[in-house]
């Protein structure tokens, strides 16, 4: 079914975020209104779709994202998604209002609201995603934005540490979730939730099911702060209270239980699910409630209470009965409402009294009665007092606990756990109410408390009104929403939901009574508990363990990086080459060697004869290469020996019928040698460091091994036949590309896109060089007192000048014929560059620069521009990028020649090559300090 | 002939590898150049040692060599030049900033 408003829900917060970025610091109320209205807009879009969802439909919407990978940007809105959307956006609007009054006047609300909207968008993405990979992406969005929100007061160390901790824990869980989602997608054959849900049976039967389940649970438990990953949540209280009220009651931490709910139809229903989820939930439920009782910090109490309630929801999902799942969904709603209002009330108290320590406050009922009434009602709901919404879901929990098939009769663990948890909740709620509003020294507070401004209290009033309305009239207020949400969790198996305040005298009611009695008793004896706690405080709490782990991991990775990626380039290279050798050796030894070592080495092709010329060239190459190594310290000698090897390589290209390559190699050889010789002046003649003999032996062994490996590989390759794929290129060069030189046609036509990339790389190298050397001045060794004539020999200068036009003509000739005969833009560019370079060599830089007023950086741009525009010109004719065309022209005087559009492209190549070579040369020449170059330039001018 | 070519590429590789492991920047540049000879040769000879005509699509010319490795190597040679030039610039800049031509100038050795 297609429907337009569905993406609008998701779009609204992100659009608001962009808008906030655009309006900048437009003042407090403008930013607040923008944030609030974008949330309201999303909520309106969701409500517009609500009738469809209540009608039992699941609204789907998709656009192709990476269709070849089976990934669509697919959204769904079912009952569960609708419930969460309303919670996220509804509470979001209230938070926006609250934050505008809570945050200090001097704070920059733009940053806060942008993070908040980004977070809300991420949450919506999670609950609306149809594609589970998309869900993971949004999951990460919430992890990152919550990091920003917790670290909102980034000037404080505690905020930074807490934010980092939350990110590490929830982000780590996100990684597990990603792995789980990918596995689940491969098992189910699709990443679409609808498909996965339909194949739930196959998923549960798959051998990978336990792995998938555990990965998903890791994601859910870290996000929802389940034991033993709970510790980040209390620390995250370093965030401003609006953030805590939003993230840590209604949204972020609910993402984990949302995941449980979403995956319930797919992953639940097994023994493994029951054991892991219910145990984790039960431990978290009791542990969180117990620690909450010990906390003196207002937000600490609420945080651990949240941990406990999340544990309760997890436990309910873990029980794996329809009734328990309904109770879980119901408690998600109720907890979000009363906990968000409690956090906001705590924020007001903090705001008005200046402290969060419950031992320092008291009697607030008399100074801020309206806030007190609201907070007491919400706390009553937290404790499970009848006629408030918390009572209803807790009764449902007790009922589910009693009715669970695994625990009837003799086994009373579950009802006992439930009662203990309930008792602790009563105790900490009572402590909250008593210590803050009634008992305690009223005079120790930093500020004299009074009621906040009405707008700040309004969000609390709205939420507490809901607490009461749901408590009194459950069926009327949330009944339908709960029903559609439960239908999404339990497809086709929703039990009849009876929402009523009074269920009659039964076992759950008795449990409630016991929990209240014991809870009040516990509350009255709490001081003994504090004393005990002070004496036997836990040594190894989770945050400490986390910090230890974190430090250890950091130390380990630092040590590992020092070993694996040392700062020394030399050592890096040794590691890299050794690794390559190991890989090569492994490939060699792990291959089946049916015919032994020699058989591996030699393929079936016949070996060709060695001729005398080749043998001589081979000897020259060996001599050149090895002498380069031996004479590397007498650098000019080394360069000459290297050029011997290079010349043999060019000859080899010629010998094996690659005239284009021979020409290219030869001209590159020339320009490389000129550059190398130019650099020698600035590099010290005696190297600073000599390698130790041991290191030389090691490097020699590595080099020998590499050489032997390459020899073996080359020989094995050369003696084996292969299937060329060049047939197409050979056949189509003339008819399709308009040229007979297949190498050139491949470069400028068949693979023109690659060539474009290559000249871009070339230009980037030249620009990089330019950026490095611009402005750098270096002092070479003192110049010998050479005469002008010695420096620029007259013979060379006189020879070079007439040679320039001649060689440029050669370059043009090579360029023009390149499409049909050996030549082309690369070679022509190099030839022209050599010709121009010789002018510099013969006459001096200043002499040549005087006459060649070309900005080579601009030349690079022109060349790239021509090549790109030629490619883009084919758009004009409605053809894809770089489609070529060709025709014949008949200029006067010279013979007809063929003009292909690819030649314009080749012209771009030509210019880039010239630009690169000459830019490199002139930049290196310009290194010379001005005082020495000035006379040289003058002398050159005299001669010119 | 095959053996000759293989040994030649092996020697170029070995010389190149030894040189790039030296502490002097200039040796590294030389080594990289030798190494790129070897690598270009390896790709080129991927077309095998074929006695034949250059890859021109001219009627009457039969038994041509494989044009693909040649096209690959042609740009590789030119880009190799760009890399050499860039590396030289890095070496010069390092010398100018640190006063030494050690590849690990300023770092732990």
């Amino acid at each position: 079914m297609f429907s337009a408003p569905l993406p609008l829900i998701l779009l609204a917060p992100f659009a608001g975020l962009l808008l906030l970025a655009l309006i900048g610091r437009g003042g407090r109320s403008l930013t607040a209104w923008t944030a609030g209205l974008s949330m309201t807009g999303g909520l309106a879009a969701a409500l517009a779709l609500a009738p469809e969802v209540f009608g039992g439909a699941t609204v789907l919407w998709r656009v192709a994202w990476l269709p070849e990978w089976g990934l669509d940007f697919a959204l769904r809105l079912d009952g569960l998604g609708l419930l969460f959307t309303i919670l996220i956006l509804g509470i979001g609007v209230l938070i926006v209002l609250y934050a505008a009054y809570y945050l200090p006047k001097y704070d920059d609300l733009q940053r806060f609201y942008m993070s908040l909207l980004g977070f809300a968008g991420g949450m919506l993405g999670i609950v609306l995603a149809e594609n589970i990979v998309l869900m993971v992406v949004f999951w990460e969005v919430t992890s990152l934005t919550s990091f920003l929100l917790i670290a909102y007061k980034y000037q404080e160390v505690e905020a930074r540490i807490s934010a980092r901790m939350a990110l590490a824990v929830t982000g780590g869980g996100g990684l597990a979730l990603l792995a789980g989602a990918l596995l689940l997608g491969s098992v189910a054959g699709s990443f679409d939730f609808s498909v996965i849900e339909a194949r739930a049976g196959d998923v549960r039967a798959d051998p990978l099911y336990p792995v998938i389940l555990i990965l998903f649970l890791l994601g859910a438990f870290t996000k929802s702060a389940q034991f033993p990953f709970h510790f980040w949540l209390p620390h995250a209280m370093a965030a401003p209270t609006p953030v805590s009220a939003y993230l840590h009651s209604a949204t972020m931490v609910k993402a984990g239980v949302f995941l449980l709910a979403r995956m319930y139809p797919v992953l639940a229903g097994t023994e493994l699910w029951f054991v892991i989820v219910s145990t984790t939930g039960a431990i978290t439920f009791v542990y969180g409630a117990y620690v909450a009782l010990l906390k003196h910090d207002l937000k600490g109490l609420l945080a651990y209470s949240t941990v406990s309630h999340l544990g309760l929801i997890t436990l309910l999902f873990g029980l794996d009965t329809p009734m328990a799942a309904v109770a879980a969904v119901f408690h998600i709603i109720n907890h979000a409402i009363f906990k968000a209002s409690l956090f906001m009330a705590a924020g007001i108290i903090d705001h008005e009294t200046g402290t969060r320590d419950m031992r320092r406050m008291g009697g607030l009922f008399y100074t801020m009665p309206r806030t007190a009434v609201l907070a007491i009602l919400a706390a009553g709901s937290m404790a499970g007092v009848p006629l408030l919404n918390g009572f209803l879901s807790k009764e449902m929990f007790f009922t589910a606990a009693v009715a669970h098939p695994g625990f009837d009769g003799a086994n009373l663990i579950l009802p006992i756990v439930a009662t203990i948890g309930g008792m602790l909740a009563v105790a900490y709620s009572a402590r909250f109410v008593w210590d803050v509003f009634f008992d305690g020294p009223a005079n120790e507070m930093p500020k004299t408390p009074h009621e906040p401004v009405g707008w700040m209290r309004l969000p609390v009033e709205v939420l507490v009104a809901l607490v009461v309305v749901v408590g009194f009239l459950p069926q009327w207020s949330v009944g339908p929403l709960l029903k559609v949400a439960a239908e999404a969790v339990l497809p086709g198996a929703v039990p009849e939901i009876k929402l009523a305040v009074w269920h009659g005298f039964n076992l759950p009611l008795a449990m409630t009574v016991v929990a209240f009695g014991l809870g009040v008793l516990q509350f009255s004896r709490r001081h003994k508990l504090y004393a005990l706690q002070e004496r036997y405080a836990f040594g190894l709490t989770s945050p400490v363990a986390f910090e230890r782990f974190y430090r250890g991991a950091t130390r380990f990775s630092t040590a590992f990086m020092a070993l694996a990626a040392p700062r020394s380039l030399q050592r890096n290279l040794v590691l890299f080459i050794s690794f390559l050798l190991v890989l090569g050796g492994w490939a060699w030894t792990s291959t089946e060697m049916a015919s032994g070592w020699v058989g591996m080495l030699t393929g079936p092709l016949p070996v060709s004869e060695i001729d005398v010329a080749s043998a001589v060239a081979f000897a020259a190459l060996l001599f050149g290469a090895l002498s380069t190594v031996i004479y590397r310290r007498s650098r000019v000698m080394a360069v000459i020996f290297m050029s011997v090897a290079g010349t043999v390589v060019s000859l080899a290209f010629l010998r094996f019928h690659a005239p284009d390559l021979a020409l290219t190699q030869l001209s590159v050889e020339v320009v490389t040698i000129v550059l190398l010789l130019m650099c020698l002046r600035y590099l010290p003649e005696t190297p600073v460091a000599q390698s130790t003999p041991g290191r030389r032996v090691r490097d020699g062994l590595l080099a020998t091994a590499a050489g032997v490996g390459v020899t073996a590989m080359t020989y094995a390759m050369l003696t084996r036949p292969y299937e060329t794929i060049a047939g197409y290129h050979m056949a189509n060069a003339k008819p399709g590309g308009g040229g007979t030189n297949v190498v050139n046609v491949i470069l400028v036509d068949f693979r023109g896109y690659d060539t474009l990339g290559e000249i871009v790389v070339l230009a980037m190298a030249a620009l990089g060089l330019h950026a490095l050397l611009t402005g750098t001045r270096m002092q070479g060794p003192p110049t010998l007192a050479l005469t002008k004539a010695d420096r620029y020999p007259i013979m060379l200068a006189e020879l070079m000048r007439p040679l320039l036009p001649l060689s440029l003509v050669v370059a043009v000739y090579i360029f023009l014929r390149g499409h049909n005969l050996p030549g082309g833009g690369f070679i022509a560019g190099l030839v022209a560059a050599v010709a121009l370079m010789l002018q510099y060599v013969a006459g001096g830089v200043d002499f040549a620069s005087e006459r060649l007023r070309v900005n080579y950086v601009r030349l690079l741009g022109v060349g790239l521009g021509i090549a790109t525009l030629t490619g883009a010109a084919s758009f004009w004719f409605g053809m894809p990028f770089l489609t070529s065309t060709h025709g014949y022209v008949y200029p006067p005087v010279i013979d007809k020649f063929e003009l292909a559009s690819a030649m314009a492209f080749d012209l771009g190549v030509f210019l880039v090559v010239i630009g690169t070579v000459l830019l490199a040369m002139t930049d290196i020449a310009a290194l010379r300090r001005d005082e020495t170059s000035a006379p040289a330039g003058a002398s050159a001018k005299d001669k010119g | 002939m095959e053996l000759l070519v293989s040994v030649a590429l092996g020697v170029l590789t070995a010389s190149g590898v030894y040189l790039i492991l030296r502490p002097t920047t200039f040796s590294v540049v030389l080594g990289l150049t030798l190494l790129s000879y070897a690598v270009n040769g390896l790709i080129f000879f991927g077309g095998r040692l074929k006695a034949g005509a250059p890859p021109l699509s001219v009627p009457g010319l039969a038994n041509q060599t494989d044009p693909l490795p040649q096209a690959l190597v042609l740009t590789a040679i030119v880009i190799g030049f760009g890399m050499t030039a860039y590396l030289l610039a890095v070496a010069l800049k390092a010398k100018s900033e640190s006063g030494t031509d050690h590849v690990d100038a300023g770092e732990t050795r």
Side-chain angles (χ1 to χ4, degrees):
Chain A
M1 193 191 303
F2 179 83
S3 149
L6 182 48
L8 280 185
I9 306 174
L10 188 55
L11 207 62
F14 288 116
L17 193 159
L18 277 181
L19 210 59
L20 277 179
L22 287 178
I23 62 175
R25 301 178 182 194
R28 225 177 150 86
S29 57
L30 183 63
T31 45
W33 274 103
T34 312
L37 285 179
S38 52
M39 293 240 194
T40 318
L43 189 59
L47 292 179
L49 283 170
E52 265 184 78
V53 177
F54 281 119
T58 297
V59 186
L60 290 174
W61 183 88
R62 66 174 65 225
V63 287
W65 180 21
L66 293 170
E68 60 273 26
W69 288 19
L71 291 181
D72 282 348
F73 195 97
L75 302 177
R76 70 183 273 131
L77 182 68
D78 56 10
L80 189 65
L82 182 67
L83 164 65
F84 269 90
T85 304
I86 293 174
L87 283 181
I88 293 162
L89 290 171
I91 297 184
V93 173
L94 298 177
I95 294 290
V96 168
L97 173 63
Y98 178 78
Y101 290 93
Y102 176 86
L103 290 171
K105 290 273 179 280
Y106 49 82
D107 262 21
D108 181 10
L109 288 189
Q110 185 199 7
R111 180 165 64 91
F112 178 80
Y113 282 133
M114 281 177 74
S115 316
L116 195 73
L117 284 176
F119 173 79
M123 275 308 295
L124 288 173
I126 295 176
V127 303
L128 294 177
E130 154 80 358
N131 186 305
I132 54 171
V133 176
L134 188 65
M135 181 180 77
V136 179
V137 171
F138 282 113
W139 186 276
E140 293 299 312
V141 170
T142 61
S143 290
L144 292 173
T145 46
S146 74
F147 170 80
L148 294 176
L149 285 167
I150 296 171
Y152 178 68
K153 291 181 269 186
Y154 58 86
Q155 299 89 343
E156 291 169 17
V157 181
E158 197 202 341
R160 295 200 299 269
I161 292 179
S162 308
R164 190 189 68 194
M165 190 185 282
L167 183 67
V169 176
T170 59
L175 283 182
L177 180 61
L178 175 62
L182 293 178
L183 276 182
L184 179 59
S186 72
V187 167
S190 169
F191 291 113
D192 281 353
F193 182 74
S194 313
V195 180
I196 294 171
E197 193 179 13
R199 296 191 193 149
D202 301 340
V203 172
R204 284 193 291 265
D206 198 272
L208 277 174
Y209 166 76
V211 183
I212 296 172
L213 176 67
I214 287 170
L215 288 170
F216 267 88
L217 291 181
L218 274 175
F221 289 171
T222 48
K223 202 82 162 180
S224 273
Q226 296 299 294
F227 186 87
F229 308 112
H230 63 282
F231 54 90
W232 69 265
L233 180 57
H235 273 256
M237 292 301 125
T241 301
V243 173
S244 308
Y246 195 40
L247 269 64
H248 306 135
S249 69
T251 51
M252 169 92 166
V253 294
K254 291 284 164 63
V257 288
F258 169 81
L259 187 67
L260 293 180
R262 178 57 95 211
M263 289 299 153
Y264 189 83
V266 181
L267 297 177
T270 61
E271 188 69 22
L272 197 61
W273 167 282
F274 169 70
V275 170
I276 300 179
V277 180
S278 63
T279 312
T280 309
I283 292 174
T284 314
F285 174 47
V286 175
Y287 172 80
Y290 174 71
V291 180
L293 187 56
L294 298 176
K295 288 286 161 184
H296 302 302
D297 175 24
L298 203 50
K299 280 178 82 177
L301 183 149
L302 292 178
Y304 272 102
S305 146
T306 303
V307 169
S308 167
H309 280 273
L310 290 167
L312 167 59
I313 296 167
T314 306
L315 169 61
L316 282 168
F317 279 121
L319 289 182
D320 210 359
T321 61
M323 194 59 220
V326 173
V329 175
F330 193 27
H331 200 62
I332 288 174
I333 307 176
N334 292 332
H335 177 253
I337 295 174
F338 71 69
K339 192 52 69 66
S341 60
L342 274 174
F343 266 115
M344 286 197 259
I348 292 176
I349 293 164
D350 178 15
H351 200 255
E352 300 301 330
T353 64
T355 178
R356 283 176 5 200
D357 191 332
M358 281 183 281
R359 286 165 301 188
R360 296 179 64 191
M361 59 177 77
L364 290 183
F365 185 78
Y366 308 104
T367 48
M368 38 202 306
R370 296 180 67 165
T371 308
V373 169
L374 295 172
I376 291 168
L377 283 171
S381 181
M382 176 162 75
V385 173
L387 292 180
L388 299 170
N389 67 350
F391 166 75
L392 295 168
S393 40
K394 182 170 282 185
E395 283 292 287
M396 241 186 204
F397 163 50
F398 286 172
T399 311
V402 173
H404 195 273
F407 289 99
D408 56 3
N411 198 335
L412 287 174
I413 292 180
L414 193 55
I416 288 173
V417 164
T419 314
I420 290 176
M423 169 195 88
L424 289 167
V426 169
Y428 66 68
S429 302
R431 194 261 165 119
F432 170 74
V433 170
W434 181 253
D435 278 4
V436 172
F437 296 110
F438 298 101
D439 181 41
N443 51 354
E444 276 187 35
M445 290 172 277
K447 285 192 204 166
T448 313
H450 55 80
E451 283 285 349
V453 287
W455 288 110
M456 189 169 175
R457 211 175 45 219
L458 180 67
V460 191
E461 286 165 354
V462 170
L463 289 173
V464 172
L466 284 174
V467 164
V468 178
V469 169
V470 174
F472 268 96
L473 300 164
Q475 186 58 43
W476 175 80
S477 53
V478 291
L481 188 58
L482 179 60
K483 184 165 170 290
V484 287
E487 274 164 3
V489 178
L490 302 160
V494 183
E496 197 194 341
I497 305 170
K498 287 175 292 179
L499 290 183
V501 177
W502 179 248
H503 289 287
F505 292 101
N506 52 15
L507 191 53
L509 188 69
M511 285 161 71
T512 303
V513 172
V514 171
F516 266 92
L518 290 176
V520 172
L521 187 69
Q522 174 102 55
F523 160 70
S524 61
R525 296 167 62 84
R526 66 189 184 285
H527 293 290
K528 283 194 172 169
L529 196 66
Y530 301 154
L532 257 164
Q533 169 69 14
E534 301 238 327
R535 197 179 304 166
Y536 305 105
F538 299 131
L540 187 86
T541 52
S542 295
V544 174
F546 171 81
E547 271 303 306
R548 267 187 211 165
F549 172 76
Y550 185 88
R551 297 235 174 86
T554 311
R555 255 202 308 277
F556 170 77
S557 37
T558 312
F560 180 76
M561 286 303 281
L563 194 74
R567 304 263 284 164
S568 156
L569 294 175
Q570 257 187 305
R571 236 182 282 167
N572 251 324
L573 209 51
V574 168
L575 277 177
F576 176 67
I577 291 169
S578 314
F579 178 67
L580 279 186
L581 287 173
V582 168
L583 271 189
W586 181 48
W588 186 267
T589 49
S590 62
T591 316
E592 285 288 322
M593 280 191 284
S595 42
W597 286 83
V598 181
M600 268 282 282
L601 217 54
T602 319
L605 279 190
V607 176
S608 49
E609 287 295 309
I610 300 175
D611 53 285
V612 179
S614 302
V616 172
F618 173 74
L621 182 94
L622 247 54
F623 169 72
L626 294 176
S627 304
T628 312
V629 174
I630 295 163
Y631 292 102
R632 62 182 181 277
R633 292 215 187 80
S634 352
R635 300 167 306 168
V636 179
M637 294 280 279
V639 171
I640 292 170
F641 285 127
M642 194 194 78
S643 74
V644 170
T647 311
V648 175
V649 171
S650 328
L651 290 175
F653 287 143
L654 208 55
R655 164 73 175 76
F656 293 102
H657 311 289
D660 290 284
L661 294 192
L663 281 171
T664 314
Q665 179 69 54
L666 217 50
S667 23
V668 161
E669 204 61 37
V670 173
V671 291
T672 307
I673 286 167
V674 172
L675 287 191
L676 283 174
L677 292 178
M678 285 173 77
C679 290
L680 283 185
R681 187 183 159 77
Y682 305 106
L683 295 175
E685 227 165 307
T686 41
V688 276
Q690 296 261 3
S691 307
T692 57
R695 196 171 257 200
R696 264 181 264 166
V697 169
R698 179 197 68 186
D699 295 350
L701 287 176
L702 283 176
T704 311
V708 169
V710 167
T711 301
M713 180 171 70
T714 313
Y715 190 73
M717 176 184 80
L718 288 178
T719 50
R720 281 175 170 76
Y722 80 114
E723 195 74 41
T724 179
I725 55 165
Y728 168 84
H729 300 108
M730 295 296 265
N732 285 292
K734 184 70 181 163
T740 52
N741 180 2
V742 186
V743 174
N744 185 264
V745 175
I746 290 176
L747 286 178
V748 298
D749 194 330
F750 293 135
R751 308 296 307 163
Y753 222 150
D754 293 353
T755 307
L756 183 62
E758 278 150 2
I759 58 175
V760 169
V761 171
L762 200 60
M764 274 161 57
L767 289 178
L769 172 141
H770 186 61
L772 276 171
L773 295 187
T774 303
T776 309
R777 290 285 171 271
M778 293 176 79
Q779 183 76 60
T783 18
L784 297 171
L786 289 175
T787 61
K788 298 160 197 170
D790 279 343
R791 194 178 296 202
Y792 303 112
I794 196 151
M795 282 296 288
L796 185 62
E798 292 307 319
L799 199 63
M800 277 309 129
R801 265 161 237 175
L803 216 53
L804 175 66
L806 220 60
S807 33
L808 288 182
V809 168
V810 171
V812 172
Y813 170 66
I814 288 179
F815 176 78
L816 286 178
R817 70 173 222 154
H819 216 44
N820 291 312
L821 292 165
F826 278 112
I827 301 165
L830 286 165
V831 169
V834 170
L836 292 170
M837 197 177 221
L838 282 176
Q839 301 305 310
Y840 285 91
V841 173
V845 171
D846 301 285
F847 165 78
S849 308
E850 194 97 317
R851 283 152 187 81
L852 266 173
R853 296 190 173 278
V854 182
N855 180 339
Y856 295 116
V857 175
R858 206 164 290 162
L859 191 66
L860 290 175
V862 171
L864 285 182
I866 290 178
T868 314
L869 285 178
T870 314
S874 39
F875 289 138
W876 187 265
F877 302 100
M879 307 290 273
F881 191 65
L882 276 172
T883 312
S884 76
T885 178
H886 55 90
Y888 293 92
V889 288
Y890 300 91
V893 188
I894 42 175
D895 197 10
K896 73 152 192 182
F897 65 91
E898 195 178 6
L899 205 58
S901 73
M903 289 184 87
F905 181 75
D906 219 9
L907 180 66
V909 173
F910 174 77
L911 294 178
V912 169
V913 171
I914 294 187
T916 304
V917 173
L918 292 183
L919 185 64
M921 194 199 69
T922 46
D923 273 348
I924 293 176
L927 287 175
R928 179 188 283 234
R929 282 190 196 281
D930 282 324
E931 58 266 46
T932 51
S933 77
S939 67
K941 228 178 283 175
D942 293 345
K943 278 163 44 171
Chain B
M1 198 64 143
E2 276 77 3
L3 189 63
L4 218 60
V5 168
S6 313
V7 172
L9 295 188
V11 169
L12 282 173
T13 309
S15 315
V17 167
Y18 187 75
L19 282 176
I20 61 172
L21 290 172
R22 295 304 92 220
T24 321
T25 48
F26 194 72
S27 300
V28 174
V29 177
L30 293 180
L32 217 55
T33 313
L34 289 181
L35 210 53
S36 55
Y37 291 158
V39 173
N40 290 341
L42 185 67
I43 298 172
F44 173 66
F45 288 117
R48 305 298 186 268
L49 304 184
K50 208 167 161 189
L56 298 176
S57 139
V58 178
L61 207 59
N63 194 26
Q64 289 116 323
T65 47
D66 195 338
L68 268 180
Q70 299 197 12
L72 290 175
V73 171
L74 200 154
T75 49
I77 294 172
V78 181
I79 288 194
F81 163 73
M83 192 177 63
T84 307
Y86 183 75
L87 204 62
L88 281 173
V90 172
L92 289 172
K93 188 74 176 176
K95 167 67 175 61
S96 139
E97 301 274 312
S98 69
T100 146
D101 66 341
H102 195 288
V103 287
D104 289 333
E107 300 291 345
T108 50
R109 304 245 162 105

